[in-house]
Amino acid sequence: MSPGESKHGGDLPGSHGPVFDAFVRADGAQQYREFVQTKGMVKEIKMKIKACSSSVNSAKDRIDKLNAEIDSRKVSRIDTLTKSGLKPKETEDIVDAEEFQLMKDVKEEKRTYKNAYEQLQRLRTDMAQVTGSADVAKTNFAEAFSRYQSQIAG
């Protein structure tokens, strides 16, 4: 077998024999290109969705860690201030510089999360549309190939 040649004798990816190869080189070339193109678009969007999902999850993890750090500092601060004689109500509104920076970091991370989530939603919408197009292209290609086989056989 020569390089790039399939076990069925053709040189097309996923070749299904000489009749298929002849069809995709001639009468079915356009449908085959459309099918392969939409299939490639589905794969590309899947990879983008995976990367975007990872960004959403990472942002959520960072938000959770920052909130946990803020909560920990708050408890420690309230405990320290209460021991120094302040009433619990008076300790709620006091925030140190590090805690304030953590709050700003949470706000920024939430913005990152929101942007990534919105992008993920757009990608999912795109995926639904492209998957529909891929299904149509696959059906058109299969029907054209079936007609071609019938013409050859009959």
Side-chain angles (χ1 to χ4, degrees):
M1 216 175 345
S2 66
E5 189 177 325
S6 78
K7 65 182 179 183
H8 299 289
D11 60 0
L12 296 169
S15 179
H16 298 299
V19 173
F20 178 83
D21 291 350
F23 174 70
V24 298
R25 284 192 178 90
D27 296 352
Q30 179 63 32
Q31 289 101 338
Y32 185 70
R33 273 194 301 275
E34 288 174 12
F35 169 65
V36 170
Q37 183 181 20
T38 56
K39 194 169 137 182
M41 290 167 59
V42 167
K43 187 175 181 180
E44 182 181 327
I45 293 174
K46 276 184 184 179
M47 291 186 326
K48 287 179 180 179
I49 285 174
K50 186 175 181 180
C52 196
S53 293
S54 178
S55 295
V56 167
N57 291 336
S58 294
K60 176 68 171 117
D61 288 345
R62 288 189 299 271
I63 290 167
D64 291 344
K65 287 177 184 174
L66 289 167
N67 280 332
E69 179 66 22
I70 289 169
D71 290 344
S72 173
R73 287 182 175 275
K74 183 177 180 180
V75 167
S76 176
R77 174 180 39 84
I78 290 172
D79 186 47
T80 302
L81 292 172
T82 302
K83 286 180 183 175
S84 71
L86 288 176
K87 295 178 184 170
K89 281 241 183 235
E90 296 171 333
T91 63
E92 287 289 323
D93 296 332
I94 299 173
V95 177
D96 65 12
E98 290 175 9
E99 193 174 344
F100 183 73
Q101 183 59 48
L102 288 171
M103 291 170 159
K104 285 173 54 177
D105 292 347
V106 166
K107 187 175 182 178
E108 182 62 34
E109 207 55 53
K110 284 183 177 181
R111 189 176 359 263
T112 299
Y113 174 86
K114 181 183 177 203
N115 291 338
Y117 187 79
E118 288 172 352
Q119 176 66 21
L120 180 61
Q121 293 304 99
R122 285 190 297 274
L123 286 169
R124 286 181 175 159
T125 300
D126 291 349
M127 177 60 105
Q129 293 170 348
V130 171
T131 299
S133 296
D135 290 344
V136 167
K138 181 179 179 180
T139 300
N140 290 344
F141 177 66
E143 289 172 354
F145 181 60
S146 180
R147 285 190 304 273
Y148 179 80
Q149 281 182 310
S150 296
Q151 288 172 355
I152 288 181

